[in-house]
Amino acid sequence: MSARPQETRLDLYPSRRGAKPCSIERQDPVVHSAHRQGAPLPPQQICDYERNGFLILEQLFDARELELLQEEAAKLRAASGQIDATLAVAEPGDSSLRSVFHVHEISPLLRRIAHDARLVDLAEYILGDRVYVHQSRLNYKPGLSGKEFYWHSDFETWHVEDGMPRMRALSVSISLVENTALNGPLMLIPGSHRRYLSCVGETPEEHFRQSLRKQEYGVPDPEALTAFADDGGITAATGPAGTVALFDCNTMHGSNGNITPYPRSNLFIVYNSVSNTVEAPFGPTEPRPEFLAERSDFEHVKAISGPIRSV
Amino acid sequence: MSARPQETRLDLYPSRRGAKPCSIERQDPVVHSAHRQGAPLPPQQICDYERNGFLILEQLFDARELELLQEEAAKLRAASGQIDATLAVAEPGDSSLRSVFHVHEISPLLRRIAHDARLVDLAEYILGDRVYVHQSRLNYKPGLSGKEFYWHSDFETWHVEDGMPRMRALSVSISLVENTALNGPLMLIPGSHRRYLSCVGETPEEHFRQSLRKQEYGVPDPEALTAFADDGGITAATGPAGTVALFDCNTMHGSNGNITPYPRSNLFIVYNSVSNTVEAPFGPTEPRPEFLAERSDFEHVKAISGPIRSV
């Protein structure tokens, strides 16, 4: 750990500093565009996103596009042995594949999806700005033995470990298989995005090597989490393959393990506003590698319209 | 391991002997009473039990009875430090309470429930015989960190490790809290009770010390399990507190972990036919202790009618 000049910066969202957890109010808008006219979503859905911190959309992509995406995910999974080992993360306790990162750089098809106007228009509207890809990954939750992802706010990690200053980013999750309530679907707590939970404990160096498998720092305290769930309930992003979940960077989410024989896999793309690019981390550790948090190429993505047929 | 004279016994359900898993047909009836007249269940529910291997019943107990049961479970949980340590089993990886066994001997109220005519009549009808309590337990799946129970047939363990000769036993699970699809409910595979999966691997001595926390022997092979689920689907025993799941001793079941803040607790009572009392184990290990498998008191339970108001 080295002393950083940046530690005199204003930190709107301090975390992992004290011995006690605390909860502070969100300092940023949820929907950053003020005008509803010309929005890529009907007003009711914009209100839902603003209130709940997420939106579940079906049939954004057509059957052929979904098929291409599924084939590509299977191909990357089969070839994961050939992928740079740092990009392929295993399940805790065994060697089965959990996630492949930076997929928009590995795969032309996934890059095309990340540039797709249907997603980019939504992200630009909600974030009120041009956007770039902060992170992308394929998550494979194997059947029979898939482990849980514990509750977390992505922003807490992105702020402390990556140096993302403000809440002006969102995630898109596209399910590659049917997500039922029983195969460990993404669960979100409506309304949790409105408060920021400052977590206890310091971050060890190279925390990401462990945290991508099983997170132990930056985890919310049980009382605050229970209060969030008591207030807002828990919504599971269930639906057929192709269901898209769009969620705010500070929405508390997680997923249970999966003993059903049916794997659960998803493509995740994180868009960040080009006015909110990462700086030095707000925590004391070295920045995480670029495959987890883009640090050099902040060129905004140029939306590509029309159906994806091949790349 | 000692050579046993019993190894010359006919073993209708061999398991943990070979290097290859195999699936054999069930050799016993599911509903052992032939007559439908005077049954404690309507004919359609008897057919459902026979076909699926389980039945979910709501409102078998009234609100006051449920309250008594919940209070008693909380009391036992709070006093688990005072309970004989062998009866209280912790979660894998930490010390939080997972199960308390032999509860019908520890608690007069739970003994009264085990003798309740509503349960005993059902068990006697389905098993076509007088019944005794083979095992009882309270399961506490804590919120936020509850671990999974992997898929298993109870009978496989009861046969190999306890010496239960035939499939003529059933479990009753009474939920003490609301079970949703997301808090790790009991999941059952309809129709799986019609075949017996012979598992691979030998059983280590005192396997139960580990297996009650996390089972590693007597687990079904992934291919057979997937085929079962593809054929029959997966049913979650969801419902309000007080929901009763009645299931055959050979029905494949399990439950996912639980990261929701809501604990999942259940009372389990296993009834066995008095014509099916345990003998020497069909596997090579010593019998498990009596708190896991009654070995001396096979006196049939005498049904007590009327609402439970106190004991």
Side-chain angles (χ1 to χ4, degrees):
Chain A
M1 286 192 280
S2 52
R4 292 179 178 286
Q6 293 84 348
E7 285 181 8
T8 56
R9 278 180 304 178
L10 178 67
D11 183 353
L12 286 173
Y13 299 109
S15 187
R16 307 191 208 176
R17 293 193 180 177
K20 278 196 183 163
C22 78
S23 153
I24 60 173
E25 208 182 331
R26 180 188 183 104
Q27 308 289 308
D28 294 294
V30 179
V31 175
H32 295 253
S33 291
H35 297 289
R36 298 293 179 257
Q37 281 178 328
L41 281 170
Q44 184 56 52
Q45 289 193 317
I46 299 171
C47 285
D48 288 348
Y49 183 90
E50 200 158 39
R51 189 180 62 250
N52 295 327
F54 62 86
L55 206 53
I56 314 292
L57 302 167
E58 288 189 17
Q59 298 179 319
L60 208 57
F61 296 98
D62 67 27
R64 178 63 193 134
E65 291 173 312
L66 182 59
E67 208 172 60
L68 282 170
L69 175 53
Q70 287 166 328
E71 285 166 8
E72 185 71 358
K75 225 167 66 186
L76 281 170
R77 183 180 198 176
S80 66
Q82 281 91 65
I83 296 172
D84 178 351
T86 54
L87 303 184
V89 175
E91 286 276 317
D94 66 49
S95 62
S96 57
L97 192 66
R98 181 177 172 93
S99 303
V100 179
F101 283 85
H102 227 214
V103 288
H104 73 293
E105 295 291 350
I106 298 175
S107 151
L109 179 78
L110 300 185
R111 185 171 184 82
R112 168 66 182 80
I113 291 175
H115 284 245
D116 194 87
R118 287 162 286 188
L119 300 179
V120 176
D121 289 354
L122 282 172
E124 287 187 345
Y125 178 76
I126 291 171
L127 304 178
D129 202 354
R130 301 283 200 170
V131 299
Y132 70 97
V133 176
H134 172 70
Q135 187 196 87
S136 70
R137 65 179 190 269
L138 276 165
N139 283 333
Y140 300 95
K141 180 174 291 200
L144 302 174
S145 64
K147 298 300 182 301
E148 76 270 10
F149 282 87
Y150 193 69
W151 298 107
H152 61 286
S153 147
D154 289 326
F155 179 76
E156 196 272 347
T157 294
W158 298 343
H159 182 70
V160 174
E161 301 193 28
D162 298 337
M164 184 182 286
R166 309 288 296 239
M167 293 184 185
R168 200 172 180 177
L170 59 79
S171 293
V172 171
S173 158
I174 308 170
S175 64
L176 304 183
V177 296
E178 187 190 0
N179 275 226
T180 70
L182 300 179
N183 69 346
L186 173 68
M187 299 190 290
L188 308 119
I189 301 184
S192 57
H193 63 307
R194 296 219 158 264
R195 296 198 71 78
Y196 178 72
L197 289 189
S198 182
C199 303
V200 299
E202 289 188 0
T203 320
E205 283 290 342
E206 305 216 318
H207 175 226
F208 69 89
R209 292 188 191 281
Q210 173 58 25
S211 73
L212 301 178
R213 307 182 75 174
K214 190 165 185 239
Q215 186 143 0
E216 292 180 8
Y217 297 86
V219 297
D221 65 293
E223 289 72 25
L225 193 64
T226 305
F228 277 7
D230 286 347
D231 282 355
I234 295 174
T235 300
T238 55
T243 300
V244 171
L246 196 74
F247 58 100
D248 179 79
C249 59
N250 191 44
T251 301
M252 198 57 76
H253 63 286
S255 64
N256 276 319
N258 175 23
I259 70 163
T260 79
Y262 308 112
R264 206 211 75 180
S265 49
N266 297 57
L267 170 65
F268 266 89
I269 303 165
V270 179
Y271 295 105
N272 188 24
S273 152
V274 293
S275 313
N276 191 40
T277 56
V278 300
E279 305 168 359
F282 286 81
T285 54
E286 289 298 314
R288 300 193 301 170
E290 300 240 0
F291 73 89
L292 293 175
E294 184 59 55
R295 304 197 72 79
S296 48
D297 179 7
F298 301 132
E299 178 70 23
H300 74 85
V301 296
K302 288 160 201 74
I304 305 174
S305 297
I308 305 171
R309 286 295 169 254
S310 66
V311 279
Chain B
M1 287 194 278
S2 53
R4 291 179 179 285
Q6 293 85 346
E7 285 180 10
T8 57
R9 277 180 306 178
L10 178 66
D11 183 353
L12 286 173
Y13 299 109
S15 187
R16 307 191 208 174
R17 292 194 180 176
K20 279 197 182 162
C22 77
S23 153
I24 61 173
E25 208 182 332
R26 181 188 182 105
Q27 308 288 309
D28 294 294
V30 179
V31 175
H32 294 253
S33 291
H35 298 288
R36 298 293 178 256
Q37 282 179 326
L41 280 171
Q44 185 55 51
Q45 289 194 316
I46 299 171
C47 285
D48 287 348
Y49 183 90
E50 199 158 39
R51 187 180 64 251
N52 294 328
F54 62 87
L55 206 53
I56 315 291
L57 301 167
E58 288 188 16
Q59 298 179 319
L60 208 58
F61 296 98
D62 67 27
R64 178 64 194 136
E65 292 174 312
L66 181 59
E67 207 172 61
L68 282 170
L69 175 52
Q70 287 165 329
E71 285 166 8
E72 186 72 359
K75 225 166 67 185
L76 281 171
R77 184 180 197 177
S80 67
Q82 281 91 64
I83 295 171
D84 178 349
T86 55
L87 303 184
V89 175
E91 286 275 317
D94 66 49
S95 62
S96 57
L97 193 64
R98 182 176 172 93
S99 303
V100 178
F101 283 85
H102 227 215
V103 287
H104 73 293
E105 297 290 350
I106 298 175
S107 152
L109 180 79
L110 301 185
R111 185 172 184 81
R112 169 65 183 81
I113 291 175
H115 284 246
D116 193 88
R118 286 162 288 188
L119 300 179
V120 176
D121 289 354
L122 282 173
E124 287 188 344
Y125 178 76
I126 290 170
L127 304 179
D129 203 354
R130 301 283 201 169
V131 299
Y132 70 98
V133 176
H134 173 69
Q135 187 196 88
S136 71
R137 66 178 189 269
L138 278 165
N139 283 333
Y140 301 95
K141 180 175 291 200
L144 302 175
S145 64
K147 299 299 182 301
E148 76 270 12
F149 282 87
Y150 193 69
W151 297 107
H152 61 286
S153 147
D154 288 326
F155 179 76
E156 196 272 348
T157 294
W158 299 342
H159 183 70
V160 174
E161 299 193 28
D162 298 337
M164 185 182 287
R166 311 289 295 240
M167 293 184 185
R168 200 171 180 178
L170 60 79
S171 293
V172 171
S173 158
I174 308 170
S175 64
L176 305 184
V177 295
E178 187 189 0
N179 275 228
T180 71
L182 300 179
N183 69 346
L186 174 67
M187 300 190 288
L188 307 118
I189 301 184
S192 58
H193 63 307
R194 296 218 159 267
R195 296 198 70 80
Y196 178 72
L197 290 190
S198 183
C199 305
V200 299
E202 289 188 359
T203 320
E205 282 292 341
E206 303 216 319
H207 174 226
F208 69 89
R209 291 187 192 281
Q210 173 58 25
S211 72
L212 301 179
R213 305 182 76 175
K214 191 166 184 233
Q215 187 143 0
E216 292 180 10
Y217 297 86
V219 297
D221 65 294
E223 289 72 24
L225 193 65
T226 305
F228 277 7
D230 286 347
D231 282 355
I234 296 174
T235 300
T238 55
T243 301
V244 171
L246 197 72
F247 58 100
D248 180 79
C249 58
N250 191 44
T251 301
M252 197 58 75
H253 63 286
S255 64
N256 276 320
N258 176 24
I259 69 163
T260 80
Y262 308 112
R264 206 210 73 180
S265 50
N266 297 58
L267 170 64
F268 267 89
I269 303 165
V270 179
Y271 294 106
N272 188 24
S273 151
V274 294
S275 313
N276 192 40
T277 56
V278 299
E279 305 169 358
F282 287 81
T285 54
E286 290 298 313
R288 299 193 303 170
E290 301 241 358
F291 74 88
L292 294 174
E294 183 60 55
R295 304 197 72 79
S296 49
D297 180 8
F298 301 132
E299 178 70 22
H300 73 85
V301 295
K302 287 159 201 77
I304 305 173
S305 298
I308 306 171
R309 286 295 169 253
S310 66
V311 281

